[in-house]
């Protein structure tokens, strides 16, 4: 499909599992009544319904689903219909044990839990195909159904003989000859050379796990297997004649899958958001969540859906903290602020038994609508209804930060300058936070995406270069872009072999330096970056740094900061290089946030960037969305107390929310500027 999906409204709803209540029509009736009150206009159904949809092999029981779909239709509620592959029935596991996953120790797991099937098993694929086909044939044109919620939170990996064989085939395709693979993986080290592809086994703590090229390729393979499975699920619904959008629900920083690889496979990106609100200061959690929203939006650079969130407390985090009054609204509207076209919950009615019986829900065991949580959900519903015209609007970011999954895999696997923690995510966040505090929308992209069009691109800690990043980065700077590199960049290629001849590979001329050594610091150690007198960015302060300090030898770059301590005192700690029409900076050490804030302030000031708002108080988030009719500026106060804030006089008017020079704690104000 690959075009922007528009639902014509902001979806408000979420996971609904009425197969648990089929014997209680009064509950279903109440649910509809409450949905209307809360302006719930969507439900996601059938996610875990396989055992009810196909109670016996080949016997499909769909009438109950049809009745529910009709009921939703009569009440103006749209349905994202799930394919039930996230959990399979007992009869299937018993009859066909190959559908069950094998763990890295080569043990086949028993039936139980969910998300534990083999993605290769021809039988599982066949069963899923048949189920999806039947569902799509029967309901693909049901007027209530607006899309396919494929499976649930794809994840994990299978090490069964079938998957091993697929892995070997995949490697054959990739490397063609075993010699090429041996070279790419440096297998002569510790005498691990392979004679043929059939000898290769998936990595395991019980066996081979020190060949980084193998580990990296296995992770890529797991992503591709999953992508292939998603395509298989999609094919079944398409073969049955449904062309409704397909989607999968992704997870917060999930390490197991490179989500960018799903960009052209799903029609719309969706994700499940469960921040631990009130564990840290709310503004801190808000920033962290914001970056994940931006990662999700940047995959397709289009609106996404918030597929799940908890209306109250979850039951699986270490402590199940209630959301304080107003938090649900703030968290829900934050998704919208970053480009979501929905607010959806897990789940609409609380389960009576089993693992999730204490997970927060819109309607709890008490069953009434006079609960605090229900009232807050109603409040979100009211907002979403008013926000209808904003559905489908886009975010136009002038700056980008790179966060790359494959780089993360390689970084975390390497035995290098620090094995306790390299703080990859934290390092990316420092640039991201600094941009956001300046009042900028930020795209968070990966190395495969284009750099052109952004005024500034921050590329923190890109240890592994792939997808011709060097060439793209060089062209970007040559044509006038501002590129920020950091320590520990351009060290290995995409099979995890170290580059020879100096690093950052391919960008030494662009950065005007060569990285010579890197010092790992103990947690209790630190160094500092001291401003060089008369430096061209007018730095005057001294900034703390920790964890990693890279020592570079400059050729054409200017040192703006130099180290203050240790044997490398006086060596560059921050550099600037003019290259063709652009500039490249290198941040040589893991600096404190203050440094990043000052640094990006200077960069933004020196460029053609327009910020959304100049003075943003602590804990306030500002973002924007735009469509043909208007530009929207969303201002959210994540402090629990009321704060004063002045809006610029630039043609924007307060559209929604209450503002009197101040914004209440956890409140949101949306400004709008209509286009002529
Ligand atoms: C995940 C799953 C849901 C549910 C929630 C609970 O996101 O997709 O099925 O288990 O967690 O928070
Ligand atoms: Zn398998």
């Amino acid at each position: 499909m690959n075009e922007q999906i528009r639902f014509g409204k902001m979806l408000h709803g979420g996971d609904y599992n009425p197969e648990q209540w089929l014997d209680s029509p009064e509950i279903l009736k109440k649910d509809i009544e409450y949905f209307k009150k809360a302006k719930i206009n969507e439900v996601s159904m059938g996610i875990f319904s396989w055992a009810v949809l196909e109670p016996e092999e080949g016997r499909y029981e769909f009438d109950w689903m049809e009745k529910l779909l009709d009921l939703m239709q009569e009440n103006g509620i749209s349905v994202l219909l799930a394919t039930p592959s996230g959990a399979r029935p007992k009869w299937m596991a018993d009859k066909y044990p190959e559908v069950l996953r094998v763990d890295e120790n080569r043990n086949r797991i028993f039936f139980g839990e969910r998300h534990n099937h083999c993605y290769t098993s021809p039988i599982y694929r066949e069963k899923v195909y048949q189920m999806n086909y039947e569902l799509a044939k029967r309901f693909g044109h049901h007027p209530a159904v607006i899309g396919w919620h494929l499976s649930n939170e794809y994840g994990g990996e299978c090490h069964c003989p079938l998957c091993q064989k697929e892995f070997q085939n995949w490697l054959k395709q990739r490397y063609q000859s075993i010699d090429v693979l041996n070279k790419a993986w440096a297998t002569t080290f510790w005498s691990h050379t392979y004679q043929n592809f059939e000898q290769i086994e998936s990595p395991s703590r019980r066996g081979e796990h020190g060949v980084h090229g193998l580990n990296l390729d296995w992770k890529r393979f797991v992503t591709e297997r999953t992508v292939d499975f998603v395509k298989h699920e999609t094919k079944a619904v398409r073969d049955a004649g449904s062309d409704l959008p397909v989607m999968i629900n992704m997870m917060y920083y999930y390490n197991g899958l490179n989500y960018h690889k799903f960009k052209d496979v799903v029609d719309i990106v969706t994700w499940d958001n469960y921040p631990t609100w009130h564990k840290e200061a709310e503004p801190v959690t808000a920033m962290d969540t914001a970056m994940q929203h931006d990662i999700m939006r940047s995959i397709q650079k289009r609106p996404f859906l918030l597929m799940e969130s908890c209306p109250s407390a979850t039951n699986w985090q270490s402590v199940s903290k209630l959301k304080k009054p107003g938090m649900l609204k703030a968290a829900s509207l934050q998704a919208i602020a970053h480009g979501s076209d929905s607010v959806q919950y897990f789940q609409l009615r609380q389960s009576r038994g089993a693992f999730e019986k204490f997970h927060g829900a819109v309607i709890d065991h008490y069953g009434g609508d006079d609960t605090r949580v229900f009232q807050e959900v109603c409040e979100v519903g009211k907002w979403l209804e008013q926000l209808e015209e904003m559905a489908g609007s886009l975010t136009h970011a002038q700056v980008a930060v790179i966060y790359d999954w494959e780089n993360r895999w390689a970084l975390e696997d390497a035995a290098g300058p620090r094995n306790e923690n390299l703080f990859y995510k934290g390092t990316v966040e420092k640039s991201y936070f600094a941009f956001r505090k300046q009042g900028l929308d930020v795209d968070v992209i990966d190395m495969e995406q284009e750099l052109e069009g952004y005024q500034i691109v921050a590329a923190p800690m890109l240890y592994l270069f792939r997808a011709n990043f060097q060439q793209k980065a060089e062209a970007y700077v040559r044509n006038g872009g501002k590129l920020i590199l950091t320590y520990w960049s351009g060290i290995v290629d995409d099979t995890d072999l170290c580059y020879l001849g100096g690093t950052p590979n391919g960008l030494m001329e662009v950065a005007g330096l060569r990285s010579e050594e890197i010092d790992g610091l103990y947690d209790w150690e630190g160094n500092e970056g001291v401003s060089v007198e008369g430096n061209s960015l007018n730095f005057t302060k001294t900034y703390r740094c920790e964890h990693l300090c890279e020592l570079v030898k400059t050729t054409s770059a200017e040192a703006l900061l130099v180290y203050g301590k240790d044997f490398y005192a006086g060596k560059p700690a921050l550099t600037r290089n003019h290259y063709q029409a652009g500039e490249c900076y290198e941040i040589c050490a893991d600096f404190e946030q203050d440094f990043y804030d000052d640094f990006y302030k200077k960069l933004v000031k020196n460029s053609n960037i327009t910020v959304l708002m100049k003075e943003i108080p602590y804990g306030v988030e500002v973002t924007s969305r735009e469509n043909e009719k208007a530009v929207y500026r969303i201002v959210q106060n994540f402090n629990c107390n009321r704060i004063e804030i002045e809006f610029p006089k630039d043609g924007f008017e307060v559209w929604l929310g209450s503002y009197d020079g101040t914004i209440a704690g956890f409140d949101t104000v949306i400004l709008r500027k209509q286009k002529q």
Side-chain angles (χ1 to χ4, degrees):
M1 209 172 276
N2 216 6
E3 59 195 40
Q4 192 182 330
I5 306 300
R6 288 172 186 270
F7 295 108
K9 59 182 176 188
M10 290 289 182
L11 301 183
H12 187 217
D15 283 34
Y16 184 50
N17 301 303
E19 64 272 27
Q20 299 174 39
W21 317 106
L22 291 180
D23 55 356
S24 313
E26 70 287 355
I27 289 190
L28 298 177
K29 217 169 123 211
K30 271 274 167 233
D31 285 345
I32 298 290
E33 181 191 323
Y34 293 161
F35 291 169
K36 287 192 167 162
K37 275 195 187 159
K39 300 188 187 300
I40 284 174
N41 58 25
E42 177 274 348
V43 294
S44 310
M45 277 204 297
I47 300 171
F48 297 111
S49 305
W50 201 329
V52 189
L53 291 167
E54 192 183 0
E56 257 174 34
E57 188 169 12
R59 179 160 69 82
Y60 298 104
E61 294 277 352
F62 288 1
D63 290 353
W64 65 275
M65 180 62 92
E66 179 147 19
K67 279 196 197 116
L68 283 164
L69 293 178
D70 291 347
L71 186 67
M72 296 305 156
Q73 173 62 16
E74 283 155 26
N75 289 284
I77 297 168
S78 306
V79 177
L80 291 178
L81 189 58
T83 63
S85 63
R88 82 226 53 77
K90 180 86 168 89
W91 60 256
M92 194 190 299
D94 288 352
K95 185 165 177 197
Y96 308 106
E98 73 160 57
V99 303
L100 296 172
R101 210 168 265 189
V102 169
D103 68 16
E104 66 170 279
N105 293 324
R106 316 303 191 240
N107 294 320
R108 196 173 290 280
I109 55 158
F110 302 146
F111 173 78
E113 299 283 331
R114 54 178 175 171
H115 307 151
N116 55 9
H117 41 272
C118 171
Y119 289 132
T120 305
S121 155
I123 291 172
Y124 196 56
R125 285 183 170 232
E126 184 190 320
K127 293 289 164 206
V128 168
Y129 184 91
Q130 285 164 349
M131 169 56 75
N132 294 6
Y133 187 89
E134 293 300 328
L135 278 175
K137 207 170 68 181
R138 176 100 175 241
F139 303 128
H141 293 99
H142 192 287
V145 180
I146 57 167
W148 293 101
H149 179 298
L150 297 181
S151 201
N152 189 61
E153 292 189 339
Y154 285 101
E157 51 192 50
C158 176
H159 297 256
C160 80
L162 296 165
C163 287
Q164 300 286 351
K165 189 90 217 121
E166 266 319 307
F167 182 43
Q168 292 162 359
N169 289 340
W170 184 84
L171 290 169
K172 249 184 240 170
Q173 284 278 321
R174 193 174 174 83
Y175 293 102
Q176 305 290 324
S177 97
I178 199 71
D179 293 343
V180 176
L181 174 141
N182 278 316
K183 267 223 162 68
W185 289 1
T187 54
T188 42
F189 182 77
W190 284 346
S191 226
H192 290 199
T193 312
Y194 298 99
Q195 279 83 45
N196 55 61
F197 285 97
E198 287 67 39
Q199 292 173 323
I200 299 172
E201 298 167 358
S202 61
S204 163
R205 300 302 299 177
R206 254 179 81 190
E208 187 68 275
H209 61 273
V211 175
H212 296 140
L214 164 69
N215 298 346
L216 196 54
D217 274 340
W218 169 253
K219 289 199 164 73
R220 291 184 176 125
F221 166 76
V222 170
T223 291
E224 288 200 22
R225 263 299 68 193
T226 312
V227 162
D228 192 64
F229 197 85
V230 172
K231 285 183 178 163
H232 176 79
E233 289 223 32
T234 307
K235 182 168 187 315
V237 301
R238 298 283 181 255
D239 286 353
S242 167
D243 57 5
L244 291 172
V246 299
M247 55 206 83
I248 64 169
N249 46 340
M250 302 179 179
M251 297 175 268
Y252 173 86
Y253 288 102
Y254 178 61
N255 194 24
L257 295 171
N258 177 0
Y259 283 143
H260 287 270
K261 298 285 181 188
F262 294 84
K263 171 174 160 276
D264 300 319
V265 179
V266 297
D267 294 307
I268 183 165
V269 167
T270 88
W271 82 284
D272 302 343
N273 179 28
Y274 294 99
T276 46
W277 291 110
H278 315 306
K279 184 176 179 185
E280 290 179 276
E282 290 79 13
V284 175
T285 309
M287 268 292 183
D288 186 85
T289 309
M291 188 161 115
Q292 188 66 203
H293 282 309
D294 285 347
I295 288 179
M296 292 294 167
R297 188 198 61 244
S298 303
I299 292 175
Q300 293 181 324
K301 300 205 185 153
R302 293 201 294 249
F304 59 94
L305 299 182
L306 176 66
M307 187 58 91
E308 291 180 26
S309 61
C310 185
S312 172
T314 65
N315 70 328
W316 52 267
Q317 287 159 340
S318 58
V319 172
S320 304
K321 191 105 201 118
L322 292 178
K323 285 194 175 68
K324 295 187 193 298
M327 194 73 250
L328 178 69
K329 185 176 96 179
S332 301
L333 295 180
Q334 188 189 25
I336 304 291
H338 287 266
S340 175
D341 274 0
S342 79
V343 173
Q344 291 158 274
Y345 311 107
F346 181 89
Q347 56 182 334
L348 298 180
R349 184 181 273 271
Q350 199 166 30
S351 315
R352 189 149 184 215
F355 188 74
E356 289 177 330
K357 61 181 180 293
F358 297 124
H359 194 287
V362 173
I363 305 160
D364 65 15
H365 294 146
Y366 153 66
D369 59 356
D370 53 344
T371 62
R372 183 181 72 94
V373 171
F374 188 82
Q375 294 312 317
E376 298 215 9
V377 170
C378 289
E379 179 67 15
V380 175
K382 265 190 232 153
W383 271 79
L384 293 180
E385 194 177 61
Q386 287 171 290
L387 287 171
E388 187 178 297
E389 64 165 75
M390 239 171 88
S393 57
L394 301 173
T395 305
H396 300 294
Q398 303 162 85
V399 299
V401 179
I402 300 180
Y403 176 83
D404 190 276
W405 252 267
E406 296 194 15
N407 177 55
R408 171 184 176 185
W409 292 338
L411 258 179
E412 290 176 356
D413 199 28
R418 262 184 68 101
N419 297 323
E420 291 186 351
N421 200 341
L422 290 163
F423 303 97
Y424 178 46
K425 177 173 168 252
T427 304
V428 175
E429 277 171 351
K430 285 180 184 172
S431 288
Y432 175 83
F433 293 173
F435 280 137
R436 296 293 322 284
K437 289 185 199 170
Q438 301 287 311
L440 290 169
D441 291 311
V442 183
D443 279 351
V444 186
I445 58 175
D446 84 340
M447 263 188 273
E448 287 180 41
Q449 286 175 285
E450 291 309 317
L451 309 181
E452 297 306 326
Y454 294 112
Q455 302 265 353
I456 304 177
V457 173
M461 237 185 178
L462 286 186
Y463 161 75
L464 175 145
F465 277 173
R466 63 187 189 94
N468 297 323
F469 181 73
Q470 299 90 316
Q471 287 84 335
K472 269 193 288 201
E474 190 274 336
Y476 171 71
V477 181
R478 181 169 11 99
N479 296 327
K482 287 189 168 69
L483 176 72
I484 291 89
L485 298 173
T486 73
Y487 50 94
W488 210 225
S489 290
I491 310 288
V492 299
D493 69 11
D494 69 348
T495 64
D496 218 326
L497 285 182
C498 287
Y499 286 115
L500 304 178
T503 64
N505 177 268
L507 293 176
M508 289 182 284
E509 205 190 322
V510 176
L513 54 77
R514 177 172 79 77
S515 152
E516 293 184 302
E517 295 181 83
I518 186 160
D519 194 15
L521 273 58
Y522 288 103
D523 281 350
W524 58 87
E525 288 185 294
N527 204 317
E528 57 192 21
V530 183
S531 299
V532 173
E533 250 199 70
N535 69 82
S536 64
L537 271 194
N538 301 320
F539 274 107
T540 53
K541 289 202 256 175
T542 294
Y543 302 92
R544 268 187 306 109
C545 56
E546 53 185 352
H547 304 131
L548 291 168
C549 293
E550 192 161 83
L551 318 187
V552 303
K553 186 174 181 182
T554 52
T555 46
S556 54
E558 169 199 354
L560 303 171
L561 301 179
V562 291
Y563 288 114
K565 295 185 199 163
D566 216 321
F567 73 90
Y568 39 90
K571 271 185 160 286
L574 170 71
T575 64
R576 175 187 199 174
N577 193 46
H578 295 275
Y579 177 83
Q580 308 276 347
E583 299 185 290
C584 179
Y585 293 82
E586 173 131 334
I587 300 169
C588 305
D590 186 359
F591 277 108
E592 60 184 311
Q593 184 69 47
D594 238 22
F595 159 75
Y596 280 87
D597 294 349
D598 287 353
F599 175 54
Y600 285 108
K601 198 174 234 163
K602 290 172 191 292
L603 287 198
V604 169
K605 218 175 112 200
N606 288 349
S607 52
N608 294 327
I609 292 175
T610 37
V611 298
L612 299 169
M613 209 175 275
K614 274 215 175 76
E615 293 304 323
I616 302 180
Y618 173 78
V620 172
E621 279 224 352
V622 187
T623 49
S624 74
R625 292 182 67 165
E626 183 171 351
N627 57 25
E628 314 75 49
K629 296 211 180 98
V631 188
Y632 306 90
R633 189 178 288 162
I634 305 104
V635 186
Q636 295 200 275
N637 177 15
F638 281 97
N639 300 288
C640 51
N641 54 304
R642 187 175 278 279
I643 50 117
E644 278 181 25
I645 180 164
E646 205 180 313
F647 294 151
K649 297 186 177 42
D650 54 0
F652 279 81
E653 279 167 20
V654 173
W655 174 45
L656 293 174
S658 64
Y659 171 74
D660 58 0
T662 68
I663 303 184
F666 298 150
D667 213 355
T668 301
V669 173
I670 305 188
L671 314 179
R672 183 176 63 180
K673 185 168 158 182
Q674 258 151 338
K675 295 182 179 170
Q676 296 318 314

